[in-house]
Amino acid sequence: MDRTATRVCPLCEATCGLSITLSDEAVTRVRGNPDDVFSKGYLCPKGASLGRFDSDPDRLSAPLVRRPDGGFDEVGWAEAFEAVERGLRAVTERHGRDAVAVYMGNPVIHTLALPLYMLVLRERLGTRNVYSSTTLDTMPKSVACGLMYGDPLAFPLPDIDRTDHMLILGANPMESNGSLWTVADLPGRLKALRARGGRLVVVDPRRTRTADLADEHVPVRPGTDALLLLGIVHTLFDEDLATDPGAGFAGFAELSGHVKPFAAEEVAGACGVPARTIRRLARDLAAAPTAAVYGRLGTSTTEFGTLTSWLVDVVNIVTGNFDRPGGVLFGEAPHATRRPTEPFRTGRWHSRVRGLPEVNGELPTATLADEIETPGEGQVRALLCVAGNLVLAAPQGERLDRALPGLDFMVCVDPYLNETTRHASVILPPPSAMESPHYDVVLAGRSVRRNARFSPPVRALAPGRPSEAEIIARLVLIASGKSAAGDPQSVDESLIDLTLRAAVGRPDSPLRGRDPAELKARLTGDNALERRLDSMLRLGPAGDLFGIRADGLNLALLKATPNGIDLGPLRPRRGEVVMTASGRVELCPTALTEDLHRLHGRMRDLSSGELVLISRRQLKSVNSWSHNIPTLSGGTNRCALEISTEDAERLGVTAGDRVRVRGRGGEVVVPVEPTDRLRAGVVSLPYGWGHGRGGSRLSHAATQPGVSMNAVTDSSVVDPLSGTAVFNGVPVRVEKVAGAAPGTESGKPDSE
Ligand SMILES: Nc1nc2c(c(=O)[nH]1)N[C@H]1C(S)=C(S)[C@@H](COP(=O)(O)OP(=O)(O)OC[C@H]3O[C@@H](n4cnc5c(=O)[nH]c(N)nc54)[C@H](O)[C@@H]3O)O[C@H]1N2
Ligand SMILES: Nc1nc2c(c(=O)[nH]1)N[C@H]1C(S)=C(S)[C@@H](COP(=O)(O)OP(=O)(O)OC[C@H]3O[C@@H](n4cnc5c(=O)[nH]c(N)nc54)[C@H](O)[C@@H]3O)O[C@H]1N2
Ligand code: SF4
Ligand SMILES: [Mo]
């Protein structure tokens, strides 16, 4: 029997609504759901392949526990949890709580269960060794927003549907579909901007598909966007085009002083962009009726990631485009979210080996290998890795590949036996997305239109198989010193009690004085996790407040509305969001203006002319874990080093020749693809390849393994303010090799 179900896609931040056809419970077809209130039928090739992810024969269906001889045994769930309990307890009893590190990868934000439970798990583990993909990605933006607005999760989002002018730096949304910016059908919306007469400018060392669509492409030298943006801000002051944002903002007058050394004419050489272009970019932004500047991975994972992220917002503010329709607006989740309780600051503790500051309760993933390898008090001896593929994702991942086997104990919550999980002591595989309920706890708050959508599981869980929520809840029990065999729902029950008690206790709460038990009795949902979601929906800005707001949201309403509920466009709301100590938006936080000296000191080396490596994402890849899906690999989706035709000629290489790419972190041998899409002096590798390692079970990926870009990157270099890794602007040497075997990779450090 065929049937169809709706579900939001978990593969990227665009959150497209899908219509899924099942035949005898197997997914036979995935289409965009034309009635979805947010995505209106859009989908990309990855979403169309979601059924292949579901039916991939390499997905683990039972837990694996390592045998003394090194292989894995498939075991029952109770036995696997007992092994975790024993393993983690042995480490904490001997070495203390900080000896257990936790790493959370990117798919965390694409599930309902993980963002809700990982916070609790982190708290209960009580370790300072918390790591995540955030310090491989968005942390610079968080630090900038924390310092400017007081909330590290308050991200201004370009109002794409109403803007007249978009300046995009270091992002390729035509292929990535957007990031820190949840927009379904971003390609269509960028085209619509052009069609209504709006202007699109793309700053990127590579002429990407997004740049192909633009009115203007500015091929900047990698790692120099902070200088380019400073040149723009300088021009705005210099030519009297800067708008004083007024009383709610601190530091406008000071700003013009800070940008003094960065005139367009001063930075042009380092950026590789003519001064007249920089000045014109500034004038165009100032002249546009509305404009929005957006920067993503190419601006974030560089040595000056936090400065660049700050300057993107500075330009939006001093061109009068901050917190207004057509400019940038803060996102707004429809459910209750955690707000910070104290002004943002970093460095409440430091990493043991390199002394890097804590940010948002985390330490930089770039220093995890140091913490595992360096003996002494506080050494990391166990790792809990949830939805992460550290070996391919972290800078100098080959070093982690060598360090992980030295751990006393390692638990992975992951559906695959892959490059990282092959080092685990225990692997706990979550069920497929098809068997998991979904609501975008994180991404709903980054969405260009406010909306609420709930997807029930498309298919029932196999009997005896725990949901991802149950897996993590049992880990929470273990971390709380209880038995993993206890009741996992007790974790949610106690969290619901806490939330409701707080809601009735707040002096300004509309629910003040109500009985929490009475409110709890009204929650609906098929399990405790769903009831927890119901409480968050009901207490949120669009919630029904347990009946006070007649048309407000609750879970039952979302279940009755499978295509979702649109709650309208974003609105100006900085008054609600900004929570700095001064109560004003801080245009010139000291930590940032001080970092300008480091940038100024580096201006010369940035234009040294050595070859630098940048990363790229591919339309048919999902980071490191989709290459096992045959429909998403092969053809144009392969691993090769792009090189400018000019550099190819200089090195005497032509398409398909093999080259050795050597960086400070190590080297790879990879075929080249000369292209006129790259500016000279820049080479580009796709991120996420490097499969085919012994002990992994990714049969299709092993047939075309590619090489890992992170065999070349260097974990000793980070953006110091956020601890974020550097994946763009990595100095490398490239030389032709004769007759090397395909995809050879030594990962041997060049100099350490
Ligand atoms: N050189 C270079 N390195 C980079 C980047 C780059 O551009 N260049 N990009 C960086 C960025 S932006 C990011 S976000 C990081 C990503 O870093 P990671 O998140 O560590 O890596 P991913 O490749 O996303 O791997 C996700 C893992 O989660 C598993 N998984 C998939 N779905 C689920 C699920 O539902 N539940 C669970 N429990 N597990 C699941 C997959 O099998 C895989 O092992 O990589 C970073 N690394
Ligand atoms: N198809 C697909 N979509 C994805 C993913 C995927 O793997 N595949 N991954 C998801 C994840 S985890 C993320 S974080 C997002 C990332 O989303 P994006 O940031 O939009 O994606 P990237 O392709 O990494 O784009 C970075 C761009 O920066 C450019 N660049 C590199 N260095 C510099 C520089 O110094 N300055 C400037 N101005 N540009 C530079 C690169 O050429 C590239 O075009 O994508 C998400 N969506
Ligand atoms: S754009 Fe992203 S959310 Fe939409 S179908 Fe593709 S992978 Fe899924
Ligand atoms: Mo990412």
Side-chain angles (χ1 to χ4, degrees):
M1 258 295 282
D2 281 7
R3 63 185 180 92
T4 59
T6 57
R7 210 245 186 232
V8 167
C9 178
L11 294 177
C12 91
E13 295 179 48
T15 69
C16 300
L18 307 176
S19 169
I20 297 167
T21 308
L22 294 104
S23 194
D24 293 332
E25 298 310 285
V27 176
T28 49
R29 187 168 182 192
V30 178
R31 282 178 301 166
N33 172 11
D35 300 319
D36 184 273
V37 291
F38 185 60
S39 61
K40 303 195 165 80
Y42 179 78
L43 98 165
C44 81
K46 298 188 297 294
S49 288
L50 196 58
R52 306 290 182 122
F53 283 87
D54 181 60
S55 63
D56 184 352
D58 284 335
R59 276 188 84 98
L60 302 176
S61 55
L64 299 181
V65 172
R66 185 174 294 283
R67 287 193 304 263
D69 72 2
F72 281 109
D73 280 332
E74 220 174 86
V75 301
W77 282 93
E79 193 181 325
F81 283 114
E82 275 165 31
V84 174
E85 198 174 328
R86 269 196 314 275
L88 287 180
R89 207 146 283 163
V91 172
T92 45
E93 275 169 10
R94 275 196 63 196
H95 304 290
R97 290 185 169 260
D98 288 335
V100 178
V102 56
Y103 173 78
M104 297 160 284
N106 169 271
V108 166
I109 63 165
H110 298 287
T111 67
L112 167 60
L114 293 175
L116 290 183
Y117 287 97
M118 287 311 293
L119 276 175
V120 194
L121 182 58
R122 278 167 66 163
E123 279 167 17
R124 301 285 166 87
L125 283 169
T127 173
R128 292 185 160 197
N129 279 299
V130 174
Y131 302 83
S132 84
S133 54
T134 310
T135 52
L136 308 177
D137 186 355
T138 52
M139 199 60 108
K141 194 74 200 174
S142 272
V143 173
C145 293
L147 295 170
M148 295 177 82
Y149 316 123
D151 180 350
L153 299 179
F155 305 114
L157 312 170
D159 190 15
I160 175 78
D161 295 333
R162 292 180 285 187
T163 197
D164 299 290
H165 183 114
M166 262 220 76
L167 172 61
I168 294 182
L169 304 101
N172 182 14
M174 290 298 284
E175 298 192 74
S176 71
N177 273 288
S179 180
L180 267 190
W181 190 26
T182 285
V183 194
D185 190 13
L186 196 37
R189 284 162 136 142
L190 287 170
K191 286 176 195 152
L193 162 74
R194 295 284 323 272
R196 65 175 182 266
R199 193 172 162 79
L200 176 65
V201 181
V202 172
V203 177
D204 196 308
R206 182 167 177 266
R207 200 179 73 243
T208 58
R209 288 197 202 184
T210 310
D212 282 338
L213 186 73
D215 298 271
E216 181 175 2
H217 170 220
V218 180
V220 71
R221 176 173 289 128
T224 66
D225 298 75
L227 291 169
L228 181 88
L229 288 162
L230 283 162
I232 289 178
V233 179
H234 183 279
T235 307
L236 293 171
F237 280 105
D238 192 43
E239 302 188 6
D240 223 5
L241 300 169
T243 314
D244 185 340
F249 298 74
F252 178 71
E254 219 184 295
L255 181 63
S256 66
H258 289 297
V259 301
K260 277 255 154 63
F262 301 100
E265 293 68 22
E266 295 295 323
V267 300
C271 299
V273 177
R276 62 172 188 285
T277 305
I278 300 175
R279 285 194 177 261
R280 193 178 33 74
L281 291 175
R283 289 179 203 132
D284 288 351
L285 281 167
T290 60
V293 186
Y294 168 74
R296 249 332 253 124
L297 211 61
T299 59
S300 186
T301 52
T302 69
E303 279 183 70
F304 300 96
T306 305
L307 274 185
T308 315
S309 301
W310 164 59
L311 288 161
V312 164
D313 287 19
V314 165
V315 174
N316 282 318
I317 293 170
V318 302
T319 53
N321 285 301
F322 177 73
D323 199 35
R324 74 149 167 180
V328 292
L329 292 157
F330 288 110
E332 184 177 6
H335 58 273
T337 50
R338 269 203 193 186
R339 295 298 315 278
T341 49
E342 52 183 59
F344 175 78
R345 70 196 168 95
T346 66
R348 289 170 297 175
W349 61 88
H350 289 79
S351 69
R352 181 180 62 107
V353 180
R354 279 159 63 184
L356 295 169
E358 156 280 339
V359 181
N360 277 354
E362 297 187 22
L363 292 173
T365 296
T367 196
L368 177 56
D370 304 309
E371 296 295 332
I372 296 173
E373 285 172 350
T374 314
E377 176 85 27
Q379 181 181 5
V380 167
R381 295 170 189 269
L383 175 66
L384 174 53
C385 181
V386 179
N389 193 358
L390 279 162
V391 168
L392 296 187
Q396 227 171 319
E398 305 306 317
R399 196 177 148 204
L400 274 167
D401 202 28
R402 293 190 296 271
L404 294 178
L407 288 168
D408 293 351
F409 194 68
M410 175 168 164
V411 189
C412 292
V413 180
D414 202 290
Y416 283 107
L417 180 51
N418 65 16
E419 298 75 20
T420 298
T421 64
R422 71 199 177 109
H423 297 302
S425 318
V426 180
I427 306 176
L428 305 170
S432 154
M434 297 299 160
E435 291 156 354
S436 310
H438 191 64
Y439 171 87
D440 278 298
V441 182
V442 176
L443 301 177
R446 301 180 188 172
S447 187
V448 273
R449 271 190 85 85
R450 293 179 300 134
N451 71 88
R453 291 169 296 162
F454 176 80
S455 319
V458 168
R459 184 176 61 215
L461 264 179
R465 178 132 197 202
S467 65
E468 186 140 36
E470 182 179 335
I471 294 173
I472 310 285
R474 290 197 187 281
L475 296 178
V476 172
L477 290 174
I478 294 172
S480 314
K482 298 183 183 149
S483 161
D487 176 14
Q489 304 224 11
S490 65
V491 175
D492 299 272
E493 297 297 345
S494 62
L495 290 166
I496 292 172
D497 292 339
L498 266 177
T499 310
L500 293 177
R501 271 205 303 274
V504 301
R506 268 192 300 274
D508 57 342
S509 167
L511 294 165
R512 175 142 183 94
R514 296 273 291 269
D515 174 13
E518 176 253 328
L519 298 181
K520 190 175 180 185
R522 296 171 63 162
L523 294 174
T524 69
D526 291 345
N527 48 50
L529 171 68
E530 287 191 14
R531 283 199 300 283
R532 185 139 73 99
L533 175 62
D534 192 30
S535 72
M536 292 164 60
L537 287 165
R538 290 174 158 218
L539 295 171
D544 74 352
L545 297 170
F546 292 87
I548 296 179
R549 208 186 274 136
D551 56 351
L553 297 183
N554 58 46
L555 184 62
L557 176 64
L558 290 191
K559 284 189 171 177
T561 325
N563 298 320
I565 296 176
D566 179 53
L567 297 162
L570 297 179
R571 56 195 177 91
R573 56 187 283 269
R574 85 177 140 80
E576 291 165 28
V577 172
V578 173
M579 50 174 312
T580 50
S582 67
R584 300 197 284 172
V585 171
E586 295 291 344
L587 265 165
C588 291
T590 316
L592 294 168
T593 53
E594 278 175 354
D595 203 32
L596 286 174
H597 300 294
R598 181 174 65 97
L599 176 63
H600 196 257
R602 288 289 308 283
M603 209 144 92
R604 242 221 239 117
D605 331 334
L606 287 171
S607 50
S608 72
E610 69 185 326
L611 207 54
V612 291
L613 174 65
I614 61 171
S615 309
R616 70 177 186 274
R617 283 188 152 61
Q618 292 162 304
L619 179 64
K620 290 190 182 173
S621 289
V622 185
N623 289 356
S624 73
W625 62 280
S626 60
H627 298 137
N628 208 47
I629 309 301
T631 46
L632 291 179
S633 61
T636 54
N637 200 23
R638 56 180 181 263
C639 181
L641 180 83
E642 282 189 354
I643 187 166
S644 70
T645 34
E646 211 174 312
D647 289 319
E649 227 164 83
R650 185 172 55 79
L651 293 170
V653 289
T654 54
D657 281 351
R658 291 180 189 281
V659 292
R660 175 171 291 110
V661 184
R662 192 177 298 180
R664 268 187 53 86
E667 61 185 49
V668 294
V669 173
V670 62
V672 284
E673 231 166 62
T675 172
D676 63 0
R677 288 188 171 270
L678 275 176
R679 64 171 283 149
V682 182
V683 288
S684 149
L685 270 177
Y687 150 65
W689 298 87
H691 310 294
R693 297 170 198 233
S696 53
R697 192 184 301 166
L698 296 165
S699 36
H700 182 72
T703 62
Q704 30 193 322
V707 298
S708 172
M709 165 164 185
N710 284 322
V712 176
T713 51
D714 176 5
S715 58
S716 73
V717 189
V718 293
D719 163 42
L721 293 179
S722 66
T724 303
V726 175
F727 299 128
N728 290 299
V730 177
V732 288
R733 276 174 284 160
V734 175
E735 65 194 19
K736 186 173 175 174
V737 290
T744 331
E745 175 186 313
S746 71
K748 220 173 54 224
D750 176 25
S751 52
E752 240 177 4

